[in-house]
Amino acid sequence: MKLQLPPGISAPAFERAMAAFRRVVGDEWVLDSDADRHTYSDPYAPGPEDEWAPAAAVAPASTEEVQAIVRLANEHRIPLWPVSRGKNLGYGGAAPRLPGSVVVDLGRMNRILEVDEQLGYCVIEPGVSFYDLQAYLDDNKIKLWQSVPGNGWGSVVGNALDRGFGYTPYGDHTANICGMEVVLPDGDLIRTGMGAIEGSRSWHVHKYGYGPAWDQLFVQSSYGIVTRVGMWMMPAPESSLLLAMNPPKGEDIGWLVETISQLRLRGVIDQSPFLPCSFGKLSLIAQRADLHDGPGPVPEEKLAEFYEKEKLGFWIVGLRLYGDESVTRARAELIKKAFARHTDMPFHEIPWTAGDPRPIYDPSLAVPTAMPLQMSNWAGGRGGHLSFSPVLPATSKDVLPQFHRSRERYREFGFEYYGSFTVSGRTATNINMIMYNRDDADEVRRARALFDVLTEDAHKAGYGEYRAHLGWMDKVADTFDFNNHALRRLGEKVKDALDPNGILAPGKQGIWPSTYRSHRHG
Amino acid sequence: MKLQLPPGISAPAFERAMAAFRRVVGDEWVLDSDADRHTYSDPYAPGPEDEWAPAAAVAPASTEEVQAIVRLANEHRIPLWPVSRGKNLGYGGAAPRLPGSVVVDLGRMNRILEVDEQLGYCVIEPGVSFYDLQAYLDDNKIKLWQSVPGNGWGSVVGNALDRGFGYTPYGDHTANICGMEVVLPDGDLIRTGMGAIEGSRSWHVHKYGYGPAWDQLFVQSSYGIVTRVGMWMMPAPESSLLLAMNPPKGEDIGWLVETISQLRLRGVIDQSPFLPCSFGKLSLIAQRADLHDGPGPVPEEKLAEFYEKEKLGFWIVGLRLYGDESVTRARAELIKKAFARHTDMPFHEIPWTAGDPRPIYDPSLAVPTAMPLQMSNWAGGRGGHLSFSPVLPATSKDVLPQFHRSRERYREFGFEYYGSFTVSGRTATNINMIMYNRDDADEVRRARALFDVLTEDAHKAGYGEYRAHLGWMDKVADTFDFNNHALRRLGEKVKDALDPNGILAPGKQGIWPSTYRSHRHG
């Protein structure tokens, strides 16, 4: 990928900045060849890869090097785009929002600094992947479970910082964050919460500290580079029980969400069950061309044939209980009773006991996997996907119209519907996957148009997204419109106070520093 | 109380500001007589009440009036000190940190705007007390429980904003906050999280919104006046079971904290049990003079006599389970098994079923009470108390030395030891109550000296407080000293950006705006 310079920076000025970075990290860790730029571009880019073009990458090995880079970026006015491991697939990968930014790749900072088995937490740097952490737990026979997302080679820290989720009772990853070390845009270094005490013993056990609590201000944020995080972990359970069922009809999602939400609020279920439609399974084990060789999406009849053959319904339901068998058995009976009010389908019950293998195809048993990435191959060619993810109240009144409306939009734009609902006590997060062939310009165009219209539809209904791909960061921010975007106004006031030169992640989640504000929607 | 003007404000200028406030709220809601000033002073003041003297109070009836007052305060350079209901007893009541501030009393804003029984939340204004909310739940037969602290006439919102806690699974009150409306120091109005969407349906069900999440930045904070909050509430349980025991020895606190912490982490207990020492009970039902008529604290032998008569040990342990009986029974067996490893004392088991009365002396059944306030009468005269509250990791390695050290300090300064530990999964919050007679100058002096030394001891051991009385806000902030108080530096940078005139709660939790920074430690 050809060099695209940061706005207003000349080629010689850029070279001087890269030379300064080299003096900090060494020659080999400033990555500014055409091949390097390609490496740090969005592997799923829905459009030309240079739409969100990195100018280079720099890979520091320590917090001190991060501080030095930030100070130099201020001096040379170079916009930075920090990534933990750069595997934010579906949301832009390692690529920056502002073309010409320099990616700060924290992948070399991959130390596991502490694991406290008794109190259930680890302290890690951003470069630690789910696979790395699992290897450490296994090697040291530590009886803690991590909660894993769909991509095990992603960063544990990075995933939590973008509010990713997993499938265990610790599945709300950002809620597991307890205590950070952060390099601020002026190079100053803070520790949050109780960590603000030199020699603190409670940094990673208590979330709030004294006065305002800052952790969530550095999440989906451009206010600092997070260099260390305490993450709460779950004690390995003695046993587990999976209750599985495949409800047949699309409409079932209404009572499913309400029933699970109520069980969750009553403490009968501890995890936030993930309910994909059956297409989710198909997309992992097949490609469109296996079922259909015409243009457009696989016809409904052919999908129905596959689901029948695989004994699938419309939705795939798996509720997993964790803990002592006496408690999980009692809870299972309560779940069966609640479901029996809506269906006469029995649950398939699959017990698990400590010591049994934990298969990678079931992330609710907390083993890192990369299997879900398979879905990117669905459409053929160089595959990619986008996730459209509004958060709804967990009621059928909210979920059913959202389901029908989105499914209709998928048909309208020529895609197979792939919606899922992750049900917590009070919310149903509705992840809609759009898979496309990057080499099919028409399909990419339709994918983008579908994303736009889904965003507008959800906004009209009163729902907002929890996360967005680079290409929609501003559009989604626009939907947060109360009092003429007052919250964004606050966000940008704080941005300008902390980062007057606007060097850190300009445009992240729609927050622009004054220096680059004209690039909004650009 | 005589008028003490805000720093640098002349009497006529102050009068002009009060006149402007009167035009907003009406004559009767600007409260600036000597009697009014007394009303808004600290009722438990450890020293002369004018040490933290309000100049007046103003009581707006709406968010719009709050905005108008904030704008006028900027114009007239009047420091404001917002309180919800002003019942922050033990931490300063309604009194301001900076003498001469005008208290903004939000008690008239007491609407219950919404209660969602299915999704388990309420939306309330800061003037709503725990008693108000309970009356509303009872009148409307809503099957939700609130979590209540020791003072039912306090504000539900105010308590959560100062990180107070209760005794049910929803006892970490600040964690129940989901979505706020906030007037910023410049009078602008924001809604946080999903509420930043006009017409949002998910404001009070999803905590984070899109981009940085702001709720916790307005907690223990001077960054805005919170005018509306969504609070998560617990579905009324079908049944409950209390397991009670009175372990005999001070040293028992080590294994008690560790055992409860592990049960909590394993999901066997959902609440954070409160473990007071037996003196806590004594202080509610007697006064020092009932047991002892000499100078100094009640001798240990006399305390021991009382405990023996009342069949009390050193600690009072009550673990409460909530939910379906089949599950609570299974959990109770696991608790008994875990305790049996350390003691052969049996639990006293007290079942409760929906419909049974809920006594006010047991806040773990979530009925508002004011009974704990009785302790202020312990020392006689006009009573008061201070709470010294460091947060420790839930290990015996941390808890035992803290217990021994603090108990020794109480003896040294001539007070009966009253420590308690509230045990969550990973923390033991060690609330130490110091009760004194406000009319006994020597006792007040010793109480203050004890607080100072407890703060220093805890800091040396690596623990910080989660909250502090006005008189220690700066001293506690001083203990958060990593990188030369980098977190406070960040806090004050943001403060200056949002509140350039420094009108909002200057000095709150040790964060001073540049305009009043010279008053630190003053």
Side-chain angles (χ1 to χ4, degrees):
Chain A
M1 191 191 291
K2 274 179 54 193
L3 174 60
Q4 193 166 335
L5 288 165
I9 301 293
S10 69
F14 184 74
E15 272 318 306
R16 282 194 297 276
M18 293 308 102
F21 287 168
R22 282 191 172 86
R23 285 190 290 274
V24 172
V25 296
D27 284 353
E28 65 195 313
W29 297 114
V30 170
L31 305 148
D32 57 357
S33 70
D34 284 356
D36 291 330
R37 283 183 278 272
H38 177 74
T39 299
Y40 287 94
S41 69
D42 180 3
Y44 291 175
E49 67 169 14
D50 59 359
E51 202 168 349
W52 303 285
V58 54
S62 68
T63 297
E64 293 71 25
E65 288 188 6
V66 172
Q67 291 180 276
I69 288 166
V70 162
R71 291 189 178 118
L72 289 170
N74 273 291
E75 197 179 309
H76 294 267
R77 301 289 193 273
I78 300 293
L80 302 175
W81 184 261
V83 301
S84 296
R85 292 178 50 80
K87 308 302 179 197
N88 199 11
L89 299 178
Y91 300 96
R97 171 66 188 85
L98 179 73
S101 297
V102 173
V103 175
V104 181
D105 179 348
L106 303 168
R108 292 173 70 206
M109 294 177 63
N110 60 358
R111 290 182 301 165
I112 295 169
L113 296 154
E114 187 188 352
V115 177
D116 189 314
E117 188 169 9
Q118 180 180 352
L119 294 175
Y121 67 81
C122 63
V123 185
I124 54 179
E125 292 183 328
V128 175
S129 73
F130 294 92
Y131 285 125
D132 294 337
L133 184 54
Q134 192 59 45
Y136 185 94
L137 297 174
D138 291 345
D139 290 352
N140 294 281
K141 299 194 193 338
I142 295 169
K143 288 188 178 146
L144 293 174
W145 280 16
Q146 44 176 340
S147 173
V148 300
N151 177 2
W153 39 302
S155 159
V156 179
V157 169
N159 184 274
L161 289 181
D162 267 304
R163 301 207 179 94
F165 37 88
Y167 307 86
T168 73
Y170 283 59
D172 180 7
H173 293 168
T174 200
N176 298 334
I177 292 175
C178 184
M180 293 176 167
E181 181 179 82
V182 186
V183 175
L184 296 179
D186 63 357
D188 206 355
L189 185 71
I190 60 160
R191 291 181 172 178
T192 64
M194 289 297 177
I197 296 173
E198 185 78 57
S200 171
R201 291 209 24 93
S202 306
W203 187 8
H204 304 299
V205 293
H206 182 65
K207 282 190 178 177
Y208 309 115
Y210 175 75
W214 296 89
D215 281 357
Q216 280 295 324
L217 216 72
F218 296 105
V219 170
Q220 287 195 359
S221 154
S222 61
Y223 297 147
I225 299 184
V226 177
T227 51
R228 179 188 295 200
V229 171
M231 292 286 294
W232 286 358
M233 300 180 75
M234 173 180 166
E238 306 86 338
S239 77
S240 179
L241 180 63
L242 178 68
L243 301 179
M245 137 177 336
N246 298 329
K249 299 193 309 283
E251 289 68 28
D252 289 327
I253 196 65
W255 69 262
L256 283 168
V257 164
E258 289 205 354
T259 305
I260 292 169
S261 153
Q262 292 303 307
L263 289 165
R264 186 85 159 76
L265 284 177
R266 297 195 162 270
V268 178
I269 302 177
D270 289 328
Q271 46 129 211
S272 294
F274 166 67
L275 278 60
C277 62
S278 294
F279 180 76
K281 182 155 185 185
L282 175 59
S283 71
L284 294 181
I285 57 177
Q287 285 190 289
R288 185 184 283 148
D290 298 335
L291 280 85
H292 178 57
D293 53 12
V298 180
E300 294 285 337
E301 318 81 70
K302 287 212 183 162
L303 290 176
E305 247 172 62
F306 170 83
Y307 299 148
E308 204 179 316
K309 197 182 73 193
E310 295 281 325
K311 298 203 176 78
L312 290 168
F314 196 98
W315 301 102
I316 299 175
V317 174
L319 312 178
R320 188 172 275 290
L321 300 165
Y322 305 83
D324 189 89
E325 206 187 320
S326 62
V327 177
T328 55
R329 281 285 161 198
R331 288 172 153 187
E333 292 311 310
L334 296 172
I335 294 172
K336 288 187 222 170
K337 215 193 293 183
F339 269 64
R341 277 181 225 123
H342 302 279
T343 178
D344 51 14
M345 279 189 117
F347 276 113
H348 185 43
E349 298 187 32
I350 307 159
W352 177 93
T353 306
D356 290 355
R358 293 192 272 152
I360 60 153
Y361 53 79
D362 184 352
S364 66
L365 285 171
V367 181
T369 177
M371 210 186 47
L373 298 180
Q374 286 282 20
M375 73 176 129
S376 307
N377 295 326
W378 168 256
R382 288 186 305 159
H385 68 72
L386 286 167
S387 316
F388 169 75
S389 323
V391 181
L392 281 64
T395 75
S396 63
K397 189 171 68 179
D398 290 281
V399 162
L400 277 176
Q402 173 70 16
F403 161 65
H404 288 300
R405 190 171 49 229
S406 310
R407 194 180 178 199
E408 197 50 53
R409 291 296 198 187
Y410 270 75
R411 281 202 199 102
E412 185 185 336
F413 287 83
F415 290 93
E416 298 87 4
Y417 174 72
Y418 179 10
S420 68
F421 291 85
T422 294
V423 188
S424 79
R426 294 173 177 87
T427 57
T429 301
N430 172 217
I431 306 227
N432 297 276
M433 285 287 178
I434 309 170
M435 274 94 79
Y436 47 86
N437 174 353
R438 287 184 59 192
D439 299 315
D440 179 336
D442 179 64
E443 191 167 69
V444 168
R445 187 193 54 75
R446 284 184 288 112
R448 292 174 80 131
L450 172 58
F451 200 104
D452 283 344
V453 79
L454 289 173
T455 304
E456 286 156 28
D457 286 349
H459 183 220
K460 273 183 212 145
Y463 313 124
E465 278 158 275
Y466 86 93
R467 192 175 181 187
H469 183 277
L470 299 170
W472 285 267
M473 280 190 177
D474 286 322
K475 284 183 183 174
V476 170
D478 286 345
T479 68
F480 286 72
D481 53 359
F482 172 76
N483 189 16
N484 193 21
H485 302 94
L487 194 65
R488 183 165 70 194
R489 208 152 55 234
L490 169 65
E492 295 189 341
K493 190 180 263 196
V494 170
K495 179 66 180 167
D496 286 338
L498 300 183
D499 188 7
N501 298 318
I503 55 115
L504 206 58
K508 172 85 180 157
Q509 246 68 26
I511 293 181
W512 289 92
S514 59
T515 44
Y516 295 108
R517 206 156 289 155
S518 62
H519 292 261
R520 186 167 2 244
H521 299 296
Chain B
M1 188 191 290
K2 274 180 53 193
L3 174 61
Q4 194 167 333
L5 288 165
I9 301 292
S10 69
F14 184 73
E15 273 317 307
R16 281 195 296 276
M18 292 308 103
F21 286 168
R22 282 191 172 86
R23 285 192 289 275
V24 172
V25 295
D27 284 356
E28 65 194 316
W29 297 113
V30 172
L31 305 148
D32 57 357
S33 70
D34 284 357
D36 291 330
R37 282 183 279 274
H38 176 74
T39 300
Y40 286 94
S41 68
D42 180 2
Y44 291 175
E49 67 169 13
D50 59 357
E51 202 168 351
W52 303 285
V58 54
S62 68
T63 297
E64 293 70 26
E65 289 188 7
V66 173
Q67 291 180 277
I69 288 165
V70 163
R71 290 189 179 119
L72 288 169
N74 274 290
E75 198 179 306
H76 294 267
R77 301 291 195 273
I78 300 293
L80 302 176
W81 184 261
V83 300
S84 296
R85 293 179 50 81
K87 309 303 178 196
N88 199 12
L89 299 178
Y91 300 97
R97 172 66 189 86
L98 179 73
S101 297
V102 172
V103 175
V104 181
D105 179 348
L106 302 169
R108 293 174 69 207
M109 295 176 62
N110 60 358
R111 289 183 301 166
I112 295 168
L113 296 154
E114 186 187 353
V115 178
D116 190 314
E117 189 168 9
Q118 179 180 352
L119 293 175
Y121 68 81
C122 63
V123 186
I124 54 179
E125 292 183 327
V128 176
S129 73
F130 294 93
Y131 285 126
D132 295 336
L133 184 55
Q134 192 59 46
Y136 185 93
L137 297 175
D138 292 344
D139 290 352
N140 295 282
K141 301 194 191 338
I142 294 169
K143 289 188 175 145
L144 293 174
W145 281 16
Q146 43 176 342
S147 173
V148 300
N151 177 2
W153 39 300
S155 158
V156 179
V157 169
N159 184 274
L161 289 181
D162 266 305
R163 301 205 181 96
F165 38 87
Y167 307 87
T168 72
Y170 282 60
D172 181 6
H173 294 169
T174 202
N176 298 335
I177 292 174
C178 183
M180 294 176 167
E181 181 180 81
V182 186
V183 175
L184 296 179
D186 63 359
D188 206 354
L189 186 71
I190 59 161
R191 291 182 172 177
T192 64
M194 287 298 176
I197 295 173
E198 185 78 56
S200 171
R201 294 214 16 99
S202 308
W203 188 6
H204 304 299
V205 294
H206 182 65
K207 282 191 177 175
Y208 309 115
Y210 176 76
W214 296 88
D215 281 357
Q216 281 294 324
L217 216 73
F218 296 105
V219 170
Q220 288 195 359
S221 152
S222 62
Y223 297 147
I225 299 184
V226 177
T227 51
R228 181 188 293 200
V229 171
M231 293 284 296
W232 286 357
M233 300 181 76
M234 173 181 166
E238 306 85 339
S239 77
S240 178
L241 181 64
L242 179 67
L243 301 179
M245 143 179 324
N246 298 327
K249 301 193 307 282
E251 290 67 29
D252 289 327
I253 197 63
W255 68 262
L256 282 168
V257 164
E258 289 205 354
T259 305
I260 292 170
S261 153
Q262 292 304 305
L263 289 166
R264 187 85 159 76
L265 284 178
R266 295 196 164 270
V268 179
I269 301 177
D270 288 328
Q271 44 129 214
S272 294
F274 167 68
L275 278 60
C277 63
S278 295
F279 181 77
K281 182 158 185 180
L282 175 59
S283 71
L284 293 181
I285 57 177
Q287 285 191 289
R288 184 184 286 147
D290 299 335
L291 280 85
H292 178 56
D293 52 14
V298 180
E300 293 286 335
E301 319 81 72
K302 288 213 182 162
L303 290 176
E305 249 171 61
F306 170 83
Y307 299 147
E308 204 178 318
K309 198 183 71 190
E310 295 280 325
K311 298 201 174 79
L312 290 168
F314 195 97
W315 301 102
I316 300 176
V317 174
L319 312 178
R320 189 173 276 289
L321 301 165
Y322 304 82
D324 190 89
E325 207 187 320
S326 61
V327 177
T328 54
R329 281 286 159 198
R331 287 171 154 188
E333 291 311 310
L334 296 172
I335 294 173
K336 288 186 222 170
K337 214 192 292 182
F339 270 65
R341 276 181 225 123
H342 302 280
T343 179
D344 50 15
M345 277 189 118
F347 276 112
H348 184 43
E349 299 187 29
I350 307 160
W352 177 92
T353 305
D356 290 355
R358 292 191 272 154
I360 62 154
Y361 54 77
D362 185 352
S364 65
L365 284 171
V367 181
T369 179
M371 211 185 49
L373 298 179
Q374 287 282 20
M375 74 176 128
S376 306
N377 295 326
W378 169 255
R382 286 186 305 160
H385 68 71
L386 286 166
S387 317
F388 169 75
S389 323
V391 181
L392 282 64
T395 76
S396 62
K397 190 170 70 177
D398 291 280
V399 161
L400 277 175
Q402 172 70 15
F403 160 67
H404 288 301
R405 187 171 53 228
S406 311
R407 193 177 176 200
E408 198 49 56
R409 290 298 198 186
Y410 269 75
R411 280 202 198 103
E412 184 185 336
F413 287 83
F415 290 93
E416 298 87 2
Y417 174 71
Y418 178 10
S420 69
F421 291 86
T422 294
V423 189
S424 79
R426 295 173 176 87
T427 57
T429 301
N430 172 218
I431 306 228
N432 297 276
M433 284 287 177
I434 309 170
M435 275 91 79
Y436 48 84
N437 173 352
R438 287 184 60 195
D439 299 316
D440 179 336
D442 179 64
E443 191 167 71
V444 169
R445 188 193 54 74
R446 285 184 287 113
R448 292 174 78 131
L450 173 57
F451 200 104
D452 283 345
V453 79
L454 289 174
T455 304
E456 287 157 26
D457 287 350
H459 183 219
K460 273 182 213 144
Y463 313 124
E465 279 160 274
Y466 87 93
R467 192 175 181 187
H469 183 277
L470 300 169
W472 286 266
M473 280 191 178
D474 286 323
K475 284 182 183 172
V476 171
D478 286 346
T479 68
F480 286 73
D481 54 0
F482 173 75
N483 190 15
N484 192 23
H485 302 94
L487 194 64
R488 183 165 70 194
R489 209 152 54 234
L490 169 64
E492 296 190 340
K493 190 179 265 198
V494 170
K495 178 67 179 165
D496 287 338
L498 300 183
D499 187 8
N501 298 317
I503 54 114
L504 206 58
K508 172 84 180 158
Q509 245 69 26
I511 293 182
W512 289 93
S514 60
T515 45
Y516 295 108
R517 206 157 287 155
S518 62
H519 292 259
R520 185 166 6 242
H521 300 297

